[in-house]
Amino acid sequence: MALIVQKYGGSSVADCDLIKRVADHVIACKKQGDDVVVVLSAMSGETDRLIDLARQVQATSDPRELDVLLATGEQTTISLFAMAVREKGFEATSFLGYQVPIDTDSDHGKARILDISTEKLNAAIKSGHIPAVAGFQGVTPRGNITTLGRGGSDTTAVAIAVVLKADICEIYTDVNGVYTTDPNICPNAKKIDKISYEEMMEMASLGAKVLDIRSVEFAMRYGMPLHVRSSFTYNTGTHVVKEDETMEQVLVSGVTYSRNEARITITKVPDSPGTAAGIFNPISDANIVVDMIIQNTRAGDLTDMTFTIPRGNYDQAMGIVQKVAKEIGAERVAGDQNIAKVSIVGVGMRNHAGVAGKMFDILARHGINILMISTSEIKVSCVIEEKFTELAVRALHEEFGLDHE
Ligand code: ADP
Ligand code: ASP
Ligand code: MG
């Protein structure tokens, strides 16, 4: 008998029929003798709809109120799921974040989980109930509702699996597992049977939204095995596990892309100690995450600084940088929101030279100009013009030998 945490994403609970199907699957697992804790997302499109409602009434949503609103998406699905289970003659109880409780810090919209109480969940399991927990939400010490950031239900599920010491956390979604690239833009993508936490973390951080990066971080830190699979086929999906020897043989495991990028360039910055700190400290004070940074030295003690940030932070970052540029006497600030980042990921790269060169070569042969580059032990990323995203992904996927036959 195992304890399984099962998370169902928005497309898996998009309407009442699908919710009933999920209930059937959970009940089937229960009948096999396993204990199941269910974590649900809002119906697909619902979180976007709620954000849009907020925009209609307030230009910049109040963070506390926005979280109260967004948390309702998951409230709907957990209650409907519990009803569906009860209708089929089994017991289920829904739990909102504050009812568990799932304690978080008070960073509304991107709160971090601090602690999860196991008492009520364990009591529910013990009495034969299927607990249905709202993903993506928690509560602050002062009792305010928080949300964890888009895609955060994955993180709720893994965190619950960890505290309950579950045997496995299953992530049910609309594709058969983790693929060598997004199967929705590359029809030749192959399903990966087994992937290491490290590679999965890189893929998630570089745009493969099939798993929220923080869920992979949690899983890796606590050694929680993940199984990403489809709620439509219920076939075996992808196991995310500790790295083993067989994985080293693959040079490139996956290709990812992210359109959520923007770039800012400050030209002719006086090149003196403290300049970079003067530019980047105010940006980090505004909680904006800078990704790639390039500094080019010019003649005459001047330098150009280019960096990327999430596209959603572009206007705010531009405002900050323009102010700083004036203060430090830089000549000009320019920005570009039509960029994307394509990356190749693979633990096999550690022991092979020339992978980055091959990537640059492939992009060049397709007439794609590289605007920025960054590398780590197991990934190479290039910023390119956004219009070339799909072409780049497909070309890299094919030429690194990832296409299925
Ligand atoms: P859910 O609502 O179930 O959480 P998401 O939309 O968050 O689902 O994630 C699933 C989607 O992730 C897929 O539909 C697919 O388009 C996208 N995706 C991006 N990269 C990958 C990848 N490498 N493997 C699988 N899916 C990917
Ligand atoms: N409903 C939230 C979102 O759409 C959380 C999630 O689905 O994981 O981002
Ligand atoms: Mg998701």
Side-chain angles (χ1 to χ4, degrees), residues 14-299:
D15 60 38
C16 290
D17 285 337
L18 286 167
I19 291 175
K20 288 185 206 168
R21 274 197 63 192
V22 169
D24 284 333
H25 182 70
V26 175
I27 289 168
C29 296
K30 198 80 185 140
K31 280 185 182 161
Q32 273 179 20
D34 292 329
D35 280 327
V36 186
V37 175
V38 176
V39 174
L40 299 180
S41 289
M43 292 180 175
S44 64
E46 178 65 4
T47 308
D48 289 334
R49 190 185 72 87
L50 294 169
I51 290 173
D52 187 56
L53 289 182
R55 285 211 182 109
Q56 289 181 43
V57 292
Q58 193 181 22
T60 306
S61 308
D62 179 87
R64 180 189 182 278
E65 300 311 327
L66 185 62
D67 275 355
V68 172
L69 178 67
L70 296 191
T72 63
E74 275 70 11
Q75 179 161 356
T76 306
T77 48
I78 54 167
S79 51
L80 289 173
F81 169 81
M83 290 176 203
V85 170
R86 283 165 186 258
E87 182 68 12
K88 291 169 196 290
F90 285 76
E91 300 288 358
T93 309
S94 62
F95 290 92
L96 290 163
Y98 80 86
Q99 293 174 310
V100 174
I102 297 174
D103 297 325
T104 70
D105 62 20
S106 47
D107 200 358
H108 286 286
K110 47 180 161 182
R112 296 181 73 86
I113 296 176
L114 302 175
D115 193 24
I116 299 180
S117 166
T118 55
E119 209 182 304
K120 287 189 196 152
L121 294 178
N122 275 330
I125 297 168
K126 214 167 152 206
S127 63
H129 280 237
I130 299 164
V133 182
F136 176 58
Q137 59 178 263
V139 63
T140 69
R142 308 189 78 173
N144 287 315
I145 292 172
T146 51
T147 63
L148 309 181
R150 298 307 303 270
S153 296
D154 296 337
T155 302
T156 306
V158 176
I160 285 180
V162 168
V163 295
L164 291 179
K165 301 189 172 59
D167 295 282
I168 191 162
C169 181
E170 298 180 333
I171 306 285
Y172 288 88
T173 184
D174 58 357
V175 286
N176 277 316
V178 180
Y179 281 69
T180 45
T181 193
D182 186 347
N184 286 324
I185 78 155
C186 184
N188 291 327
K190 269 187 302 203
K191 195 194 87 189
I192 301 171
D193 293 332
K194 201 161 80 166
I195 187 168
S196 67
Y197 292 120
E198 285 87 350
E199 282 175 312
M200 192 61 237
M201 218 144 90
E202 286 286 4
M203 285 185 63
S205 76
L206 295 169
K209 72 162 184 162
V210 62
L211 280 178
D212 182 25
I213 176 155
R214 290 158 308 160
S215 70
V216 190
E217 268 166 18
F218 261 114
M220 179 158 117
R221 188 170 340 139
Y222 297 100
M224 175 57 59
L226 305 182
H227 184 185
V228 182
R229 54 194 302 199
S230 160
S231 66
F232 296 92
T233 66
Y234 290 113
N235 291 336
T236 300
T238 301
H239 290 276
V240 188
V241 290
K242 269 204 191 95
E243 186 179 338
D244 67 34
E245 313 78 48
T246 56
M247 294 171 170
E248 284 285 342
Q249 290 157 13
V250 188
L251 188 62
V252 172
S253 307
V255 179
T256 60
Y257 66 94
S258 165
R259 299 182 204 269
N260 178 29
E261 309 284 327
R263 162 171 92 126
I264 296 180
T265 301
I266 317 176
T267 40
K268 295 199 182 164
V269 182
D271 196 5
S272 58
T275 304
I279 295 171
F280 293 111
N281 285 347
I283 297 177
S284 70
D285 289 346
N287 232 339
I288 297 172
V289 180
V290 173
D291 181 16
M292 296 186 195
I293 303 176
I294 292 179
Q295 184 176 349
N296 287 324
T297 310
R298 289 172 175 254

